[in-house]
Amino acid sequence: MAKNKMTIVQMNAVEELYGYNLTKQKVARFMLSYEIGTLAFTVLLYERWWITLIWMVLVGLYVYKSLLPKQVMANYKRRALTERNRFINMVTQGMATKNANIIAVLRRAKEKVKGEFADDLSILIATLVSEDNYEAKHQAFKNLSDKYKEDIYFVLFLEQIETVYHEDQYHIETFQTFKDSHNRLLMKQKTFIRKKKEVQTSMMSMLGLSFVMLAIMLMSNGIDKYISIYAHALGGTITSTIYLLVIGFIIHSFYKKYYDDEVTRF
């Protein structure tokens, strides 16, 4: 499923994978800030309701078709990573017990996680206890690894679980090493997300400041002169359109990076 071509039904289905819902109120709140900004700039620059309406529709479609799906997918990936991290910590804690049974540990850990990942674990555990064929069990591990292959520490942790399942011997230090690595990954991502939100806040503040300065400059000789000389003049309309397109390009470029949480590349 292409994340920038999702319908509202598909986006809600993704939200439901970890117990959330994409309500009309949530969609409206997400779109509101972009639409308010568009309304403010276009009313100031054009003073024509029909041009404002066109911009409102275009921005609304962009936010709904591009930014909202990206936000939904980002939330989904963050929640899934949190659940995998909880699983890794629970299994490591369980395996620290003397003579721990891997199936029992997996079952206890499964009860502590939620959403789609809990369902994935249920499939794995069911396969391990019901199948006698090695290939079927190995495939169950592989299916789970392939689904979350971007999380390299989780994949390595799962490989360790498979080894323990078949050999029934392990070193708890190996589990702890992968657990510590995954914990650091999660903390690094949280720090990364926090810094991105700070940059987002700064960008929105700069846009707000530019709006105030623009309004002061354009209205310095009075609103009537501004409308006749700039807002309703062809040159003013063209200049305003170019100005808004540049802002749009900057915002689009920012959000292409904003929704990428992959910290292992940095």
Side-chain angles (χ1 to χ4, degrees):
M1 179 189 306
K3 65 181 179 181
N4 60 341
K5 294 183 180 180
M6 296 166 65
T7 66
I8 191 67
V9 174
Q10 291 171 325
M11 285 187 278
N12 186 59
V14 171
E15 285 283 285
E16 288 179 343
L17 290 174
Y18 284 96
Y20 295 83
N21 289 295
L22 190 64
T23 63
K24 293 179 181 179
Q25 291 78 10
K26 289 181 180 178
V27 174
R29 284 197 300 269
F30 182 81
M31 298 182 66
L32 191 59
S33 60
Y34 300 96
E35 292 286 41
I36 289 176
T38 302
L39 177 65
F41 272 99
T42 53
V43 167
L44 172 66
L45 292 173
Y46 294 107
E47 283 288 338
R48 286 191 174 100
W49 68 267
W50 59 272
I51 298 181
T52 293
L53 182 61
I54 290 173
W55 274 104
M56 294 281 285
V57 171
L58 291 176
V59 170
L61 287 173
Y62 171 73
V63 174
Y64 184 79
K65 294 290 187 179
S66 181
L67 297 189
L68 183 59
K70 286 184 173 67
Q71 182 65 53
V72 168
M73 290 304 299
N75 289 340
Y76 164 76
K77 290 180 180 180
R78 292 167 188 174
R79 291 162 186 161
L81 178 63
T82 298
E83 295 306 314
R84 293 196 299 274
N85 181 260
R86 182 176 291 112
F87 166 76
I88 288 173
N89 279 272
M90 292 301 302
V91 170
T92 302
Q93 180 181 333
M95 296 305 292
T97 304
K98 188 177 181 180
N99 299 322
N101 178 273
I102 188 64
I103 294 296
V105 169
L106 288 176
R107 282 173 168 161
R108 285 195 297 271
K110 198 274 291 186
E111 296 301 319
K112 298 296 183 179
V113 300
K114 60 183 179 180
E116 180 187 32
F117 183 63
D119 297 335
D120 294 334
L121 289 178
S122 295
I123 294 173
L124 173 64
I125 295 169
T127 303
L128 295 180
V129 298
S130 64
E131 291 285 347
D132 293 326
N133 183 272
Y134 170 84
E135 287 302 325
K137 296 178 180 181
H138 175 68
Q139 189 62 46
F141 278 107
K142 186 176 184 303
N143 289 341
L144 191 56
S145 296
D146 289 346
K147 183 170 183 176
Y148 301 106
K149 61 184 178 182
E150 293 181 354
D151 188 345
I152 183 62
Y153 295 120
F154 172 74
V155 171
L156 293 173
F157 190 83
L158 206 59
E159 289 177 357
Q160 179 64 18
I161 291 176
E162 183 176 9
T163 299
V164 172
Y165 174 78
H166 289 298
E167 298 179 1
D168 202 28
Q169 293 182 350
Y170 65 93
H171 297 286
I172 188 60
E173 292 80 10
T174 305
F175 282 95
Q176 290 172 338
T177 297
F178 291 138
K179 179 205 67 162
D180 293 341
S181 296
H182 203 271
N183 286 342
R184 285 193 295 270
L185 174 68
L186 184 63
M187 292 305 299
K188 186 177 181 180
Q189 188 195 70
K190 288 181 177 179
T191 301
F192 186 47
I193 292 171
R194 186 179 67 252
K195 289 181 178 179
K196 287 193 297 181
K197 287 183 178 179
E198 291 173 357
V199 174
Q200 181 190 38
T201 299
S202 298
M203 181 183 71
M204 293 303 178
S205 298
M206 290 295 293
L207 288 175
L209 181 61
S210 69
F211 174 81
V212 173
M213 295 178 63
L214 190 63
I216 294 173
M217 181 182 68
L218 293 176
M219 300 296 181
S220 60
N221 293 320
I223 189 170
D224 292 334
K225 285 187 177 181
Y226 158 67
I227 292 174
S228 60
I229 295 175
Y230 181 84
H232 289 181
L234 179 60
T237 300
I238 293 174
T239 301
S240 295
T241 301
I242 293 173
Y243 174 72
L244 290 180
L245 287 174
V246 169
I247 290 179
F249 175 77
I250 293 172
I251 292 175
H252 176 69
S253 299
F254 170 77
Y255 279 113
K256 281 180 67 177
K257 297 179 180 179
Y258 179 80
Y259 287 113
D260 183 0
D261 290 340
E262 185 53 63
V263 295
T264 55
R265 291 200 297 269
F266 298 94

